Amino acid sequence: MREDLIALNAEYAAALDDDRLEDWPGFFAEQCFYRITTAQNHAQGLQAGLVYCDSRQMLADRVLSLRRANVYERQRYRHLLGLPRVLGTAVGVTSVDTGFAVLRIVRGGTTDVFASGRYLDEVERGPGGSLQLRRRDVVCDSSRIDTLLAVPL
Amino acid sequence: MREDLIALNAEYAAALDDDRLEDWPGFFAEQCFYRITTAQNHAQGLQAGLVYCDSRQMLADRVLSLRRANVYERQRYRHLLGLPRVLGTAVGVTSVDTGFAVLRIVRGGTTDVFASGRYLDEVERGPGGSLQLRRRDVVCDSSRIDTLLAVPL
Amino acid sequence: MREDLIALNAEYAAALDDDRLEDWPGFFAEQCFYRITTAQNHAQGLQAGLVYCDSRQMLADRVLSLRRANVYERQRYRHLLGLPRVLGTAVGVTSVDTGFAVLRIVRGGTTDVFASGRYLDEVERGPGGSLQLRRRDVVCDSSRIDTLLAVPL
């Protein structure tokens, strides 16, 4: 399981960093939940997120609007992922906690830490046997959110 | 062994990043040694450290004083760990070298690299069979030490 | 294979971060190719690199000139590596893609992100059975290259 989780995260990160956004929804189950929130909101049990999608179709729509909006890509991202910590398994669904940091590389400029935090995931085996995300809560350490946070994390 | 080391480090990092400082001494053996030093001092063989604890009780005391001092937590930390390199094993004690970086997220502010360096560890199996730290030397790359370096690394 | 790739990268990173530059050529096959380029140039299929070596001897020569030039070492580096993604294997050669970031620690100064990107590797078993790099293309995310980029990445 651990090996598969590591592979899932490595592929997920590479898809985003290589700007293959169209591949991103494929890491999720059809019925899924994706949210970007802050550690502060998460600790207070607030359900609202900065980004909120509850189906794979909604993730695909999000990618479409990102492509329309960002005609000229002026920055790149680089994910640095921690090792997954399996928190438990119930009825075929495994809960996982994985730390992450994302660097942002601005064209002609400097590289800074764009975001850090942890992925709180629920994963399950998909139809083909490979792991899929049923739920990914992206809990960001910082509450100061960049206006460009439209990109998937 | 490698798998267990990775798990130990992932749990260690998560405890600190989730601000569960009270769990931190539990990663060490009762008779242990913890030190934060700089690469420069380490290379010169200097034994003095910026932080220095030689028992699990002393680690617990340290957490207590941290809690008293930092009534208002204004920053978060995020550990990024490398993969452990096993240097050798003798009489049940394994020597390990693991690179690390720690990000600091200041409330309402930016995220920067707080510290980087390597953990020089001696680990052994504890009474329950799980790995414990007998010794962790935190060798920081930078000699410019932040005044907030009271937090565990 | 994955385990061996992780170990290879961990040793590679540690050699550079510990300033054991003389060990660096030993990670490559005698007939090898090493290049540092930018994502932009790589995407355009440009063969030119900022750094370009096509034998282990040339890597060793590079280390020698680095040693002569940098009499006073004023900065340290810290590699943060992602998990390797195996892209395929053919005739004993495995293609691998691994994300990386390198921090730079300036003496008496701050720590920043020096470079990020990915290693595009071709690895094979060497005479002794251990993995060797036949080719490592270091594809940097940023096109703004620091004048100090003489150090190996």
PDB file of all heavy atoms in Angstrom, chain A residues 1-8 27-30 56 89-94 122-134:
ATOM      1  N   MET A   1       0.842  -1.211   0.000  1.00  0.00           N
ATOM      2  CA  MET A   1       0.000   0.000   0.000  1.00  0.00           C
ATOM      3  C   MET A   1       0.874   1.258   0.000  1.00  0.00           C
ATOM      4  O   MET A   1       0.727   2.151  -0.808  1.00  0.00           O
ATOM      5  CB  MET A   1      -0.922  -0.017   1.235  1.00  0.00           C
ATOM      6  CG  MET A   1      -1.699   1.284   1.465  1.00  0.00           C
ATOM      7  SD  MET A   1      -2.735   1.845   0.075  1.00  0.00           S
ATOM      8  CE  MET A   1      -4.319   1.120   0.475  1.00  0.00           C
ATOM      9  N   ARG A   2       1.834   1.280   0.923  1.00  0.00           N
ATOM     10  CA  ARG A   2       2.709   2.444   1.030  1.00  0.00           C
ATOM     11  C   ARG A   2       3.387   2.740  -0.312  1.00  0.00           C
ATOM     12  O   ARG A   2       3.433   3.876  -0.756  1.00  0.00           O
ATOM     13  CB  ARG A   2       3.755   2.163   2.104  1.00  0.00           C
ATOM     14  CG  ARG A   2       4.499   3.395   2.548  1.00  0.00           C
ATOM     15  CD  ARG A   2       5.667   3.041   3.467  1.00  0.00           C
ATOM     16  NE  ARG A   2       6.215   4.233   4.068  1.00  0.00           N
ATOM     17  CZ  ARG A   2       5.776   4.758   5.196  1.00  0.00           C
ATOM     18  NH1 ARG A   2       4.803   4.202   5.843  1.00  0.00           N
ATOM     19  NH2 ARG A   2       6.310   5.869   5.686  1.00  0.00           N
ATOM     20  N   GLU A   3       3.896   1.696  -0.951  1.00  0.00           N
ATOM     21  CA  GLU A   3       4.544   1.851  -2.254  1.00  0.00           C
ATOM     22  C   GLU A   3       3.576   2.470  -3.270  1.00  0.00           C
ATOM     23  O   GLU A   3       3.934   3.354  -4.034  1.00  0.00           O
ATOM     24  CB  GLU A   3       5.020   0.491  -2.775  1.00  0.00           C
ATOM     25  CG  GLU A   3       6.384   0.069  -2.313  1.00  0.00           C
ATOM     26  CD  GLU A   3       7.470   1.019  -2.789  1.00  0.00           C
ATOM     27  OE1 GLU A   3       7.655   1.138  -4.006  1.00  0.00           O
ATOM     28  OE2 GLU A   3       8.124   1.657  -1.939  1.00  0.00           O
ATOM     29  N   ASP A   4       2.347   1.988  -3.263  1.00  0.00           N
ATOM     30  CA  ASP A   4       1.355   2.479  -4.212  1.00  0.00           C
ATOM     31  C   ASP A   4       0.994   3.933  -3.917  1.00  0.00           C
ATOM     32  O   ASP A   4       0.770   4.727  -4.837  1.00  0.00           O
ATOM     33  CB  ASP A   4       0.083   1.610  -4.150  1.00  0.00           C
ATOM     34  CG  ASP A   4       0.324   0.222  -4.730  1.00  0.00           C
ATOM     35  OD1 ASP A   4       1.385   0.018  -5.349  1.00  0.00           O
ATOM     36  OD2 ASP A   4      -0.545  -0.645  -4.567  1.00  0.00           O
ATOM     37  N   LEU A   5       0.933   4.266  -2.639  1.00  0.00           N
ATOM     38  CA  LEU A   5       0.634   5.647  -2.276  1.00  0.00           C
ATOM     39  C   LEU A   5       1.743   6.587  -2.738  1.00  0.00           C
ATOM     40  O   LEU A   5       1.491   7.668  -3.267  1.00  0.00           O
ATOM     41  CB  LEU A   5       0.469   5.766  -0.753  1.00  0.00           C
ATOM     42  CG  LEU A   5      -0.805   5.175  -0.159  1.00  0.00           C
ATOM     43  CD1 LEU A   5      -0.704   5.114   1.360  1.00  0.00           C
ATOM     44  CD2 LEU A   5      -2.022   6.010  -0.574  1.00  0.00           C
ATOM     45  N   ILE A   6       2.979   6.141  -2.536  1.00  0.00           N
ATOM     46  CA  ILE A   6       4.120   6.949  -2.968  1.00  0.00           C
ATOM     47  C   ILE A   6       4.071   7.161  -4.472  1.00  0.00           C
ATOM     48  O   ILE A   6       4.271   8.271  -4.975  1.00  0.00           O
ATOM     49  CB  ILE A   6       5.447   6.271  -2.542  1.00  0.00           C
ATOM     50  CG1 ILE A   6       5.602   6.348  -1.014  1.00  0.00           C
ATOM     51  CG2 ILE A   6       6.630   6.903  -3.244  1.00  0.00           C
ATOM     52  CD1 ILE A   6       6.781   5.561  -0.477  1.00  0.00           C
ATOM     53  N   ALA A   7       3.776   6.092  -5.205  1.00  0.00           N
ATOM     54  CA  ALA A   7       3.714   6.182  -6.666  1.00  0.00           C
ATOM     55  C   ALA A   7       2.580   7.112  -7.101  1.00  0.00           C
ATOM     56  O   ALA A   7       2.747   7.943  -7.993  1.00  0.00           O
ATOM     57  CB  ALA A   7       3.530   4.783  -7.270  1.00  0.00           C
ATOM     58  N   LEU A   8       1.434   6.990  -6.449  1.00  0.00           N
ATOM     59  CA  LEU A   8       0.301   7.865  -6.771  1.00  0.00           C
ATOM     60  C   LEU A   8       0.687   9.333  -6.604  1.00  0.00           C
ATOM     61  O   LEU A   8       0.452  10.163  -7.484  1.00  0.00           O
ATOM     62  CB  LEU A   8      -0.881   7.524  -5.848  1.00  0.00           C
ATOM     63  CG  LEU A   8      -2.101   8.457  -5.916  1.00  0.00           C
ATOM     64  CD1 LEU A   8      -2.855   8.288  -7.222  1.00  0.00           C
ATOM     65  CD2 LEU A   8      -3.063   8.216  -4.739  1.00  0.00           C
ATOM     66  N   PHE A  27      -6.692  11.273 -11.450  1.00  0.00           N
ATOM     67  CA  PHE A  27      -6.202  10.709 -10.189  1.00  0.00           C
ATOM     68  C   PHE A  27      -7.326  10.529  -9.172  1.00  0.00           C
ATOM     69  O   PHE A  27      -7.129   9.928  -8.126  1.00  0.00           O
ATOM     70  CB  PHE A  27      -5.116  11.605  -9.584  1.00  0.00           C
ATOM     71  CG  PHE A  27      -3.860  11.646 -10.410  1.00  0.00           C
ATOM     72  CD1 PHE A  27      -3.578  12.709 -11.248  1.00  0.00           C
ATOM     73  CD2 PHE A  27      -2.964  10.581 -10.374  1.00  0.00           C
ATOM     74  CE1 PHE A  27      -2.425  12.732 -12.016  1.00  0.00           C
ATOM     75  CE2 PHE A  27      -1.814  10.588 -11.135  1.00  0.00           C
ATOM     76  CZ  PHE A  27      -1.547  11.668 -11.968  1.00  0.00           C
ATOM     77  N   PHE A  28      -8.501  11.044  -9.512  1.00  0.00           N
ATOM     78  CA  PHE A  28      -9.627  11.002  -8.580  1.00  0.00           C
ATOM     79  C   PHE A  28     -10.671   9.979  -9.034  1.00  0.00           C
ATOM     80  O   PHE A  28     -10.770   9.642 -10.218  1.00  0.00           O
ATOM     81  CB  PHE A  28     -10.288  12.387  -8.513  1.00  0.00           C
ATOM     82  CG  PHE A  28      -9.434  13.438  -7.844  1.00  0.00           C
ATOM     83  CD1 PHE A  28      -8.463  14.116  -8.559  1.00  0.00           C
ATOM     84  CD2 PHE A  28      -9.611  13.739  -6.503  1.00  0.00           C
ATOM     85  CE1 PHE A  28      -7.665  15.085  -7.950  1.00  0.00           C
ATOM     86  CE2 PHE A  28      -8.828  14.708  -5.886  1.00  0.00           C
ATOM     87  CZ  PHE A  28      -7.851  15.383  -6.610  1.00  0.00           C
ATOM     88  N   ALA A  29     -11.441   9.501  -8.055  1.00  0.00           N
ATOM     89  CA  ALA A  29     -12.599   8.681  -8.369  1.00  0.00           C
ATOM     90  C   ALA A  29     -13.667   9.584  -8.994  1.00  0.00           C
ATOM     91  O   ALA A  29     -13.611  10.805  -8.867  1.00  0.00           O
ATOM     92  CB  ALA A  29     -13.134   8.029  -7.098  1.00  0.00           C
ATOM     93  N   GLU A  30     -14.613   8.962  -9.691  1.00  0.00           N
ATOM     94  CA  GLU A  30     -15.646   9.779 -10.331  1.00  0.00           C
ATOM     95  C   GLU A  30     -16.432  10.564  -9.295  1.00  0.00           C
ATOM     96  O   GLU A  30     -16.693  11.744  -9.460  1.00  0.00           O
ATOM     97  CB  GLU A  30     -16.573   8.867 -11.142  1.00  0.00           C
ATOM     98  CG  GLU A  30     -16.733   9.335 -12.571  1.00  0.00           C
ATOM     99  CD  GLU A  30     -17.632   8.414 -13.364  1.00  0.00           C
ATOM    100  OE1 GLU A  30     -17.098   7.399 -13.851  1.00  0.00           O
ATOM    101  OE2 GLU A  30     -18.838   8.692 -13.479  1.00  0.00           O
ATOM    102  N   ARG A  56     -15.458  14.397 -10.359  1.00  0.00           N
ATOM    103  CA  ARG A  56     -14.337  14.442 -11.295  1.00  0.00           C
ATOM    104  C   ARG A  56     -14.636  15.418 -12.440  1.00  0.00           C
ATOM    105  O   ARG A  56     -13.744  16.094 -12.946  1.00  0.00           O
ATOM    106  CB  ARG A  56     -14.082  13.043 -11.850  1.00  0.00           C
ATOM    107  CG  ARG A  56     -12.752  12.920 -12.559  1.00  0.00           C
ATOM    108  CD  ARG A  56     -12.718  11.692 -13.430  1.00  0.00           C
ATOM    109  NE  ARG A  56     -12.392  10.485 -12.699  1.00  0.00           N
ATOM    110  CZ  ARG A  56     -12.633   9.257 -13.156  1.00  0.00           C
ATOM    111  NH1 ARG A  56     -13.245   9.101 -14.332  1.00  0.00           N
ATOM    112  NH2 ARG A  56     -12.316   8.207 -12.445  1.00  0.00           N
ATOM    113  N   THR A  89      -7.626   2.236   7.880  1.00  0.00           N
ATOM    114  CA  THR A  89      -8.375   1.728   6.738  1.00  0.00           C
ATOM    115  C   THR A  89      -9.714   1.209   7.234  1.00  0.00           C
ATOM    116  O   THR A  89      -9.788   0.570   8.280  1.00  0.00           O
ATOM    117  CB  THR A  89      -7.612   0.585   6.045  1.00  0.00           C
ATOM    118  OG1 THR A  89      -6.367   1.088   5.562  1.00  0.00           O
ATOM    119  CG2 THR A  89      -8.403   0.034   4.859  1.00  0.00           C
ATOM    120  N   ALA A  90     -10.785   1.537   6.484  1.00  0.00           N
ATOM    121  CA  ALA A  90     -12.114   1.035   6.846  1.00  0.00           C
ATOM    122  C   ALA A  90     -12.929   0.878   5.573  1.00  0.00           C
ATOM    123  O   ALA A  90     -12.975   1.783   4.734  1.00  0.00           O
ATOM    124  CB  ALA A  90     -12.815   2.001   7.807  1.00  0.00           C
ATOM    125  N   VAL A  91     -13.537  -0.284   5.407  1.00  0.00           N
ATOM    126  CA  VAL A  91     -14.391  -0.579   4.250  1.00  0.00           C
ATOM    127  C   VAL A  91     -13.699  -0.221   2.937  1.00  0.00           C
ATOM    128  O   VAL A  91     -14.294   0.401   2.046  1.00  0.00           O
ATOM    129  CB  VAL A  91     -15.750   0.159   4.356  1.00  0.00           C
ATOM    130  CG1 VAL A  91     -16.830  -0.655   3.627  1.00  0.00           C
ATOM    131  CG2 VAL A  91     -16.177   0.402   5.785  1.00  0.00           C
ATOM    132  N   GLY A  92     -12.430  -0.627   2.820  1.00  0.00           N
ATOM    133  CA  GLY A  92     -11.723  -0.435   1.559  1.00  0.00           C
ATOM    134  C   GLY A  92     -11.200   0.970   1.325  1.00  0.00           C
ATOM    135  O   GLY A  92     -10.595   1.241   0.291  1.00  0.00           O
ATOM    136  N   VAL A  93     -11.433   1.864   2.278  1.00  0.00           N
ATOM    137  CA  VAL A  93     -10.960   3.243   2.127  1.00  0.00           C
ATOM    138  C   VAL A  93      -9.854   3.503   3.147  1.00  0.00           C
ATOM    139  O   VAL A  93     -10.022   3.251   4.338  1.00  0.00           O
ATOM    140  CB  VAL A  93     -12.116   4.243   2.336  1.00  0.00           C
ATOM    141  CG1 VAL A  93     -11.594   5.674   2.238  1.00  0.00           C
ATOM    142  CG2 VAL A  93     -13.212   4.005   1.307  1.00  0.00           C
ATOM    143  N   THR A  94      -8.718   3.981   2.638  1.00  0.00           N
ATOM    144  CA  THR A  94      -7.566   4.243   3.494  1.00  0.00           C
ATOM    145  C   THR A  94      -7.387   5.739   3.693  1.00  0.00           C
ATOM    146  O   THR A  94      -7.440   6.513   2.735  1.00  0.00           O
ATOM    147  CB  THR A  94      -6.290   3.653   2.854  1.00  0.00           C
ATOM    148  OG1 THR A  94      -6.494   2.249   2.654  1.00  0.00           O
ATOM    149  CG2 THR A  94      -5.073   3.855   3.743  1.00  0.00           C
ATOM    150  N   GLU A 122      -8.451  10.366   1.312  1.00  0.00           N
ATOM    151  CA  GLU A 122      -9.096   9.063   1.400  1.00  0.00           C
ATOM    152  C   GLU A 122      -8.902   8.408   0.046  1.00  0.00           C
ATOM    153  O   GLU A 122      -9.321   8.949  -0.978  1.00  0.00           O
ATOM    154  CB  GLU A 122     -10.592   9.207   1.704  1.00  0.00           C
ATOM    155  CG  GLU A 122     -10.862   9.709   3.118  1.00  0.00           C
ATOM    156  CD  GLU A 122     -12.340   9.941   3.364  1.00  0.00           C
ATOM    157  OE1 GLU A 122     -13.168   9.523   2.512  1.00  0.00           O
ATOM    158  OE2 GLU A 122     -12.674  10.551   4.385  1.00  0.00           O
ATOM    159  N   VAL A 123      -8.235   7.255   0.047  1.00  0.00           N
ATOM    160  CA  VAL A 123      -7.954   6.581  -1.218  1.00  0.00           C
ATOM    161  C   VAL A 123      -8.606   5.204  -1.230  1.00  0.00           C
ATOM    162  O   VAL A 123      -8.852   4.599  -0.196  1.00  0.00           O
ATOM    163  CB  VAL A 123      -6.435   6.438  -1.468  1.00  0.00           C
ATOM    164  CG1 VAL A 123      -5.752   7.794  -1.517  1.00  0.00           C
ATOM    165  CG2 VAL A 123      -5.797   5.572  -0.398  1.00  0.00           C
ATOM    166  N   GLU A 124      -8.865   4.747  -2.435  1.00  0.00           N
ATOM    167  CA  GLU A 124      -9.460   3.412  -2.601  1.00  0.00           C
ATOM    168  C   GLU A 124      -8.968   2.829  -3.925  1.00  0.00           C
ATOM    169  O   GLU A 124      -8.436   3.541  -4.767  1.00  0.00           O
ATOM    170  CB  GLU A 124     -10.990   3.508  -2.614  1.00  0.00           C
ATOM    171  CG  GLU A 124     -11.512   4.318  -3.785  1.00  0.00           C
ATOM    172  CD  GLU A 124     -13.025   4.489  -3.797  1.00  0.00           C
ATOM    173  OE1 GLU A 124     -13.687   3.993  -2.884  1.00  0.00           O
ATOM    174  OE2 GLU A 124     -13.521   5.151  -4.736  1.00  0.00           O
ATOM    175  N   ARG A 125      -9.164   1.531  -4.105  1.00  0.00           N
ATOM    176  CA  ARG A 125      -8.819   0.903  -5.372  1.00  0.00           C
ATOM    177  C   ARG A 125      -9.896   1.238  -6.389  1.00  0.00           C
ATOM    178  O   ARG A 125     -11.088   1.078  -6.107  1.00  0.00           O
ATOM    179  CB  ARG A 125      -8.732  -0.619  -5.220  1.00  0.00           C
ATOM    180  CG  ARG A 125      -7.671  -1.106  -4.269  1.00  0.00           C
ATOM    181  CD  ARG A 125      -6.316  -1.234  -4.941  1.00  0.00           C
ATOM    182  NE  ARG A 125      -5.266  -1.399  -3.937  1.00  0.00           N
ATOM    183  CZ  ARG A 125      -3.982  -1.104  -4.158  1.00  0.00           C
ATOM    184  NH1 ARG A 125      -3.583  -0.649  -5.340  1.00  0.00           N
ATOM    185  NH2 ARG A 125      -3.087  -1.259  -3.224  1.00  0.00           N
ATOM    186  N   GLY A 126      -9.475   1.676  -7.567  1.00  0.00           N
ATOM    187  CA  GLY A 126     -10.418   1.963  -8.633  1.00  0.00           C
ATOM    188  C   GLY A 126     -10.773   0.704  -9.403  1.00  0.00           C
ATOM    189  O   GLY A 126     -10.299  -0.381  -9.076  1.00  0.00           O
ATOM    190  N   PRO A 127     -11.609   0.834 -10.445  1.00  0.00           N
ATOM    191  CA  PRO A 127     -12.040  -0.309 -11.248  1.00  0.00           C
ATOM    192  C   PRO A 127     -10.863  -1.149 -11.755  1.00  0.00           C
ATOM    193  O   PRO A 127     -10.902  -2.376 -11.736  1.00  0.00           O
ATOM    194  CB  PRO A 127     -12.792   0.337 -12.420  1.00  0.00           C
ATOM    195  CG  PRO A 127     -13.249   1.659 -11.893  1.00  0.00           C
ATOM    196  CD  PRO A 127     -12.193   2.096 -10.916  1.00  0.00           C
ATOM    197  N   GLY A 128      -9.780  -0.509 -12.165  1.00  0.00           N
ATOM    198  CA  GLY A 128      -8.642  -1.248 -12.708  1.00  0.00           C
ATOM    199  C   GLY A 128      -7.687  -1.764 -11.648  1.00  0.00           C
ATOM    200  O   GLY A 128      -6.669  -2.368 -11.969  1.00  0.00           O
ATOM    201  N   GLY A 129      -7.976  -1.495 -10.373  1.00  0.00           N
ATOM    202  CA  GLY A 129      -7.104  -1.985  -9.311  1.00  0.00           C
ATOM    203  C   GLY A 129      -6.125  -0.937  -8.806  1.00  0.00           C
ATOM    204  O   GLY A 129      -5.491  -1.123  -7.775  1.00  0.00           O
ATOM    205  N   SER A 130      -5.970   0.157  -9.556  1.00  0.00           N
ATOM    206  CA  SER A 130      -5.019   1.181  -9.117  1.00  0.00           C
ATOM    207  C   SER A 130      -5.679   2.122  -8.111  1.00  0.00           C
ATOM    208  O   SER A 130      -6.901   2.220  -8.032  1.00  0.00           O
ATOM    209  CB  SER A 130      -4.510   1.966 -10.322  1.00  0.00           C
ATOM    210  OG  SER A 130      -5.577   2.621 -10.943  1.00  0.00           O
ATOM    211  N   LEU A 131      -4.859   2.810  -7.344  1.00  0.00           N
ATOM    212  CA  LEU A 131      -5.371   3.696  -6.308  1.00  0.00           C
ATOM    213  C   LEU A 131      -5.974   4.969  -6.896  1.00  0.00           C
ATOM    214  O   LEU A 131      -5.442   5.538  -7.845  1.00  0.00           O
ATOM    215  CB  LEU A 131      -4.248   4.087  -5.346  1.00  0.00           C
ATOM    216  CG  LEU A 131      -3.766   3.019  -4.371  1.00  0.00           C
ATOM    217  CD1 LEU A 131      -2.712   3.611  -3.437  1.00  0.00           C
ATOM    218  CD2 LEU A 131      -4.918   2.457  -3.557  1.00  0.00           C
ATOM    219  N   GLN A 132      -7.085   5.387  -6.318  1.00  0.00           N
ATOM    220  CA  GLN A 132      -7.734   6.629  -6.713  1.00  0.00           C
ATOM    221  C   GLN A 132      -8.013   7.463  -5.473  1.00  0.00           C
ATOM    222  O   GLN A 132      -8.232   6.921  -4.389  1.00  0.00           O
ATOM    223  CB  GLN A 132      -9.075   6.333  -7.386  1.00  0.00           C
ATOM    224  CG  GLN A 132      -8.973   5.739  -8.766  1.00  0.00           C
ATOM    225  CD  GLN A 132     -10.356   5.608  -9.401  1.00  0.00           C
ATOM    226  OE1 GLN A 132     -11.325   5.280  -8.718  1.00  0.00           O
ATOM    227  NE2 GLN A 132     -10.442   5.860 -10.691  1.00  0.00           N
ATOM    228  N   LEU A 133      -8.053   8.751  -5.667  1.00  0.00           N
ATOM    229  CA  LEU A 133      -8.417   9.649  -4.569  1.00  0.00           C
ATOM    230  C   LEU A 133      -9.931   9.786  -4.510  1.00  0.00           C
ATOM    231  O   LEU A 133     -10.565  10.196  -5.477  1.00  0.00           O
ATOM    232  CB  LEU A 133      -7.793  11.031  -4.784  1.00  0.00           C
ATOM    233  CG  LEU A 133      -6.265  11.102  -4.681  1.00  0.00           C
ATOM    234  CD1 LEU A 133      -5.754  12.392  -5.298  1.00  0.00           C
ATOM    235  CD2 LEU A 133      -5.821  11.001  -3.228  1.00  0.00           C
ATOM    236  N   ARG A 134     -10.497   9.414  -3.384  1.00  0.00           N
ATOM    237  CA  ARG A 134     -11.914   9.665  -3.143  1.00  0.00           C
ATOM    238  C   ARG A 134     -12.074  11.063  -2.582  1.00  0.00           C
ATOM    239  O   ARG A 134     -13.067  11.725  -2.812  1.00  0.00           O
ATOM    240  CB  ARG A 134     -12.414   8.696  -2.076  1.00  0.00           C
ATOM    241  CG  ARG A 134     -13.324   7.627  -2.527  1.00  0.00           C
ATOM    242  CD  ARG A 134     -13.508   6.682  -1.380  1.00  0.00           C
ATOM    243  NE  ARG A 134     -14.620   7.080  -0.551  1.00  0.00           N
ATOM    244  CZ  ARG A 134     -15.822   6.519  -0.614  1.00  0.00           C
ATOM    245  NH1 ARG A 134     -16.040   5.559  -1.490  1.00  0.00           N
ATOM    246  NH2 ARG A 134     -16.788   6.902   0.178  1.00  0.00           N
TER     247      ARG A 134
END
